[in-house]
Amino acid sequence: MPIFKDIASLRQWRQSLRGTLAFVPTMGNLHDGHLALVRLAAARAEQVLVSIYVNPLQFGPQEDFAQYPRSLDKDLQQLHAAGCSTVFTPDDALMYPRGRKDLSIIIPPHSLAKVLCGASRPGHFAGVCTVVNKLLQMVQPEILILGEKDYQQLRIVQQMVADMNMTVQVLPGPVQREADGLAYSSRNARLSPGERQMAPRLAATLFDLVQRSTPQASVAELALAGRESLEQAGFVVDYLELRDSETLQAVNIAQPGARWFAAAHLGQTRLIDNVMIPL
Ligand code: AMP
């Protein structure tokens, strides 16, 4: 399994490739959520490239860039076993050779990027779009695989691809969960044993809200009940909202296709999740 650290050898490999290339960008510390995306990629394309890069541009000054878990050796072993063909592990000097100030950046539409996580993480989605755009220019895949776990990120990247007339096909992968419902996340490793026990309550609350979502139900009352149940369990809730799956705008009728989104802190760890009201 070749591991590229520079653009020249990556491009040389790319030019010699036959068949379709699917690309799975990650920040490493891989888990079954990432590996499911790798398997989806392998089912859709002859070649699979996974990138591992913790992108400083998408972390705010008070966020956990320095503490973000890194485990490259273990990641590489898991990728090999999951059928990944190639890994790209750029570093900051390769991604941002002139530094991160005064950089050309991609600013996503405010309607998608200033809501939900964007409201409390200014600049986060511009950082995501900029790095994904750079990685796409380097890797030149036919297919880009992104997880629905980060649903807002998925929608914003889909919109960037459409707005910039990029030819890459964006393929979403469903949220992968532990047996108790907690969505896999690299940040779960930072939960204390007590927090880890409580963490599945986030997904359980969203699934419960989906169950109670009918066109007659009061969305405001549902959201309040969900928020109270999380707060009683010890979460500090950032948001718990029902939004349209395409526009990400708030909706006040709980109809099929709308999506419950939540972000909440358990101790130092911020967890996010989302569940759609089934069609
Ligand atoms: P990250 O390493 O957190 O940047 O995630 C890399 C990719 O994996 C993104 O497209 C995420 O949406 C996706 N991903 C992370 N966790 C999960 C999960 N539990 N289920 C599905 N996809 C996931």
Side-chain angles (χ1 to χ4, degrees):
M1 188 175 70
I3 300 165
F4 297 117
K5 292 180 162 54
D6 68 293
I7 301 176
S9 49
L10 172 68
R11 290 226 160 106
Q12 207 178 14
W13 171 82
R14 179 70 187 98
Q15 274 160 14
S16 70
L17 265 196
R18 286 177 191 206
T20 315
L21 174 62
F23 172 41
V24 185
T26 80
M27 299 205 299
N29 198 37
L30 302 182
H31 48 63
D32 283 358
H34 296 114
L35 298 177
L37 297 184
V38 174
R39 286 190 286 271
L40 175 64
R44 294 301 181 95
E46 282 84 19
Q47 300 281 337
V48 178
L49 185 143
V50 174
S51 66
I52 298 177
Y53 177 60
V54 185
N55 173 35
L57 204 63
Q58 69 191 66
F59 287 78
Q62 311 301 327
E63 293 182 4
D64 58 350
F65 174 69
Q67 292 86 39
Y68 196 86
R70 291 157 170 92
S71 56
L72 186 60
D73 290 345
K74 187 166 158 246
D75 291 351
L76 295 177
Q77 285 167 17
Q78 285 181 291
L79 285 175
H80 188 56
C84 164
S85 358
T86 312
V87 184
F88 181 40
T89 58
D91 63 10
D92 293 344
L94 187 95
M95 293 306 287
Y96 304 113
R98 293 189 310 110
R100 301 197 301 276
K101 292 205 176 99
D102 194 30
L103 191 70
S104 303
I105 56 167
I106 299 227
I107 307 215
H110 285 189
S111 61
L112 297 177
K114 295 281 182 199
V115 299
L116 299 171
C117 287
S120 58
R121 303 187 72 188
H124 170 66
F125 289 112
V128 168
C129 284
T130 302
V131 78
V132 170
N133 181 44
K134 285 172 70 71
L135 289 167
L136 287 172
Q137 302 303 325
M138 294 173 188
V139 177
Q140 303 274 323
E142 279 85 16
I143 301 174
L144 169 66
I145 311 249
L146 296 173
E148 289 184 343
K149 158 78 175 15
D150 300 278
Y151 189 86
Q152 184 177 15
Q153 167 175 284
L154 163 70
R155 271 299 300 125
I156 287 171
V157 172
Q158 281 175 328
Q159 201 58 52
M160 172 182 78
V161 164
D163 289 348
M164 296 292 163
N165 303 94
M166 297 177 178
T167 53
V168 72
Q169 178 198 349
V170 182
L171 196 63
V175 183
Q176 304 295 314
R177 301 179 179 282
E178 305 250 17
D180 60 12
L182 176 64
Y184 286 105
S185 163
S186 305
R187 290 188 169 100
N188 292 351
R190 302 227 312 271
L191 296 168
S192 71
E195 289 165 352
R196 175 63 190 82
Q197 259 198 322
M198 197 48 83
R201 182 70 80 93
L202 185 65
T205 300
L206 292 174
F207 280 108
D208 180 53
L209 286 172
V210 163
Q211 282 289 317
R212 294 162 63 188
S213 291
T214 62
Q216 296 75 35
S218 157
V219 171
E221 278 171 25
L222 287 178
L224 190 64
R227 182 178 271 267
E228 279 172 356
S229 133
L230 286 173
E231 284 170 355
Q232 272 164 18
F235 288 84
V236 176
V237 179
D238 184 357
Y239 59 77
L240 176 62
E241 295 175 19
L242 183 69
R243 290 192 174 245
D244 183 88
S245 290
E246 194 180 329
T247 65
L248 302 186
Q249 298 312 292
V251 291
N252 49 23
I253 301 178
Q255 58 197 8
R259 196 172 283 266
W260 283 100
F261 291 89
H265 285 87
L266 254 189
Q268 299 297 307
T269 310
R270 186 172 185 274
L271 301 175
I272 61 170
D273 202 345
N274 69 90
V275 182
M276 190 181 77
I277 304 172
L279 292 167

